[in-house]
Amino acid sequence: MVLRVAEFYSGIGGMHFALKGAGVDCQVVRAFDINTVANDVYRHNFDGVPVMQRCIESLPMTMFEALRAELWTMSPPCQPYTRQGLQRGSGDERAKSFLFIIDLLERLQNKPTYLLVENVAGFERSDTRAMLLRQLVRTGYRFEEYLLNPLQLCFPNSRTRYYLLAKLGAEPQECASDCEFPAHFRHDVPGASLIQPAADADGRVDFERGIWHHDEVRRVKQFLEDLAPEDAASYRLPQKILDRHGYVHDVVTPDDRRTCCFTKGYTHYAEGTGSVLQTAGVVGVDPMTQENTRYFTPREVANLMGFPASLSFPSATSAKQRYRLLGNSLSVSVVAVLADYLLHRM
Ligand SMILES: C[S@@+](CC[C@H](N)C(=O)[O-])C[C@H]1O[C@@H](n2cnc3c(N)ncnc32)[C@H](O)[C@@H]1O
């Protein structure tokens, strides 16, 4: 039986790629996103999937009922929960659409059997998480929560994210609106082989320090494009940036087994938006120059995030837009492992 999927906050289709990667026989019956550039990329990759370019919270109940989707995937906006942001949580305007979906679950006649939610690390401390879990208890879902990082799957890229898997079938229970839930987040997925990060004395895990130097993590060079010199030149860091901000970059070499999280600000802001690649000399000893240091290409960022070679962009999508879209997307490899577990073993 082909699984009917609704992909909310579809972006460039990270969830769809992950389901394909996990070998799930599925049909995305509708994708939802308000970003026109993302939607062009989505249509370019998934011909025939209807993409709805409307605010989710403006859609009528009848539309959700008519989907008859068994799996809802959701990676709602992360700005209300990011460490860099104001962490307004549910009070943030950008949380509105997800709160709408949470509320909807109670009223739906055709509830999805499965839910898969992805968000930034930080979401697990938010009031939105508590509201979501209370609703799942009331509506008869059992659920599991995860904090995972693609380093655990030997990808040399750090992207710690919160994931929730839920499956309909529990007895609906009353749940008070001040009910709190223990902070129990799994770092392993049953039936999958993930490197386990070491925990500190308080039980907190540090994926990066714990795994970066693990021999099983693949080297960055396995994810690089074979760039002709003239193509490599277009990824050079501008001299002005090297002079003013060179030192704040996270610098890695092809032999390293790590890169930091690529965000939508990559190449626009120097600090905390993703690593740059030093192709010659010794990091920290030899100065970064335009000849020995470059940005990762969008294709390389996609490789590090686990996107398949089949991901492609319309030629009109600029490099800057590609970085933004990829930075907003997700670790396809991690979601594939979770989807496989949710649909087959949970
Ligand atoms: C974190 S990104 C999800 C990216 C996606 N999973 C991917 O693989 O590219 C959140 C997405 O939600 C979209 N979005 C934000 N608010 C929305 C709303 N109210 N209705 C529909 N889409 C919305 C944004 O345009 C953005 O593409």
Side-chain angles (χ1 to χ4, degrees), residues 7-15 32-35 38 54-57 75-78 94 97 118 307 325 328-330:
E7 189 174 5
F8 294 98
Y9 313 99
S10 46
I12 58 173
M15 291 281 187
F32 300 82
D33 205 294
I34 46 172
N35 182 324
R54 293 261 304 276
C55 279
I56 290 165
E57 64 275 31
S75 37
C78 57
R94 290 161 293 191
S97 62
E118 182 256 9
F307 277 89
L325 294 169
N328 255 340
S329 188
L330 45 80

Side-chain angles (χ1 to χ4, degrees), residues 218-234:
R218 286 183 274 167
R219 292 187 196 274
V220 167
K221 62 182 166 199
Q222 291 176 252
F223 296 80
L224 300 179
E225 288 190 271
D226 195 9
L227 289 181
E230 63 274 20
D231 292 333
S234 59

Side-chain angles (χ1 to χ4, degrees), residues 202-264:
D202 299 323
R204 276 189 302 257
V205 298
D206 186 335
F207 291 101
E208 295 174 0
R209 284 168 55 130
I211 301 179
W212 265 351
H213 302 293
H214 207 286
D215 279 351
E216 283 175 46
V217 177
R218 286 183 274 167
R219 292 187 196 274
V220 167
K221 62 182 166 199
Q222 291 176 252
F223 296 80
L224 300 179
E225 288 190 271
D226 195 9
L227 289 181
E230 63 274 20
D231 292 333
S234 59
Y235 294 101
R236 281 181 179 164
L237 277 74
Q239 191 59 49
K240 199 173 66 184
I241 300 286
L242 284 172
D243 293 342
R244 289 200 203 146
H245 308 290
Y247 66 96
V248 302
H249 284 94
D250 178 69
V251 188
V252 300
T253 72
D255 278 323
D256 280 328
R257 298 178 194 275
R258 63 167 202 90
T259 53
C260 58
C261 182
F262 293 96
T263 73
K264 64 180 179 184

Side-chain angles (χ1 to χ4, degrees), residues 8 69 86 145 162 236 251 277 286 291 296 299 308 318:
F8 294 98
L86 296 173
E145 297 174 283
Y162 168 91
R236 281 181 179 164
V251 188
L277 185 70
D286 297 302
E291 282 65 44
F296 284 83
R299 180 64 255 175
S318 68

